Amino acid sequence: MKVLVTGGAGYIGSHTVLSLLENNYDVVVYDNLCNSSVESLRRVEKLTGKSVKFIQGDICSKDDLTKVFNQFNIDAVIHFAALKAVGESAEIPLSYYQNNVHGTVCLLEVMQQQKVHNFIFSSSATVYGEESDVPYVETMKLGTPSSPYGASKVMVERVLADTANANKEFRGVSLRYFNPIGAHESGAIGEDPKGIPNNLLPYVAQVAVGKRDKLSIFGDDYPTQDGSCERDYLHVMDLAQGHVAALNWLNRNDEFRGVEAFNLGTGNGISVFAIVKAFEKAINKTIPFDVSPRRAGDLPAFWANASKANKELNWQATRSLEQMMADTWHWQSNNPNGYLV
Ligand SMILES: NC(=O)c1ccc[n+]([C@@H]2O[C@H](COP(=O)([O-])OP(=O)(O)OC[C@H]3O[C@@H](n4cnc5c(N)ncnc54)[C@H](O)[C@@H]3O)[C@@H](O)[C@H]2O)c1
């Protein structure tokens, strides 16, 4: 089975490409490299001993996408390509809607023309919005996210529902990720954000390696156990395997038509202070930090009810917090400058 992976050179994409190859799927990656390096794929090839076809291109170009579908016999698409920085999305919302929403519509149009109907989408826990109670469960209505980034994910989920209503062949899966962290256990691939990291773990790791002075923790007065925000952190390799599980689920369920959402998380909330402590323990060093005011739009705490994915996809996040920390450090200490050599 041949899978087109958009955004496959990025953080979650590269780990998923590795899992797909290990499970004998053929992979074509399509990425414009706006937030990644093709070196991630070269390393995946080394780790697996298998080759990855790479095409540099933008999901907003229907002509380029059509060429890819004409060149390869694509059976399914896993769609990671998106801009993902929550703060930046408030500054340049139109770029986010153009890239994440318009880009996805272009991709779906080309898929429809090419009669490819299997589609897996990178959604996010942010689609539950500010109003939902925790833990989040798939039966809840889509909420109102606080950022244009989050809104772009809600819009695409709506686009998928309407596509499935109109196209009776469509077989879509929305995977709602919680907070992926960590790296492949080899330390050869990992998260390599361009510029200042937006997420906690890459920031902590860059402080540990001496690239940044100290960590800022945004808010210690939330109504949580220790006052810092709580999130459902899961290992990126567990998340990668969630995509293989979703593809296997589509393959098992021949009759399935429509679009189905699954939460991918551990089901546990972990605080920012607890993450910093766990990281310090893993590297045997203290991480300097200060406490800054709360960031606009940050919710106090959320985590997944992941029982639907456990039951239907036969998927579970199995890697421990200790492993997430050790693998992050393995990647960061082996590659202090990411993929730049
Ligand atoms: N990392 C997280 O915490 C998280 C959480 C929930 C959902 N997601 C979603 O998962 C997906 C992957 O996230 P990631 O963390 O791996 O991010 P990433 O930035 O590492 O990967 C995204 C990839 O898409 C590519 N890309 C972006 N716009 C493109 C375009 N127009 N055409 C072609 N390629 C394009 C980038 O170059 C990059 O390689 C995104 O859709 C993101 O919104 C991520």
Side-chain angles (χ1 to χ4, degrees), residues 11 84 180-182 190-209 211-212 215 233 275 279 328-329 331-332 336:
Y11 172 46
K84 62 157 186 179
I181 58 173
E191 186 166 10
D192 180 25
K194 292 202 168 147
I196 300 171
N198 287 292
N199 293 335
L200 176 63
L201 246 285
Y203 207 106
V204 172
Q206 291 193 5
V207 172
V209 87
K211 262 182 101 172
R212 310 209 173 262
L215 171 73
Y233 294 97
I275 286 280
F279 197 78
T328 302
W329 183 235
W331 152 253
Q332 186 73 59

Side-chain angles (χ1 to χ4, degrees), residues 15-53:
H15 290 78
T16 301
V17 168
L18 185 141
S19 281
L20 289 168
L21 293 173
E22 284 177 340
N23 286 276
N24 296 320
Y25 286 101
D26 271 353
V27 177
V28 178
V29 169
Y30 184 83
D31 196 307
N32 67 2
L33 302 181
C34 70
N35 195 36
S36 54
S37 155
V38 76
E39 173 65 15
S40 63
L41 298 177
R42 301 288 85 92
R43 295 192 185 185
V44 166
E45 287 183 321
K46 251 193 209 154
L47 288 169
T48 57
K50 295 185 177 178
S51 70
V52 180
K53 298 263 178 336

Side-chain angles (χ1 to χ4, degrees), residues 7 9-13 31-36 57-59 80-82 84 99 122-124 149 153 177-178 180 199:
Y11 172 46
I12 307 169
D31 196 307
N32 67 2
L33 302 181
C34 70
N35 195 36
S36 54
D58 199 293
I59 49 165
F80 292 103
K84 62 157 186 179
N99 204 65
S122 295
S123 190
S124 163
Y149 165 74
K153 295 291 177 190
Y177 314 156
F178 282 67
N199 293 335

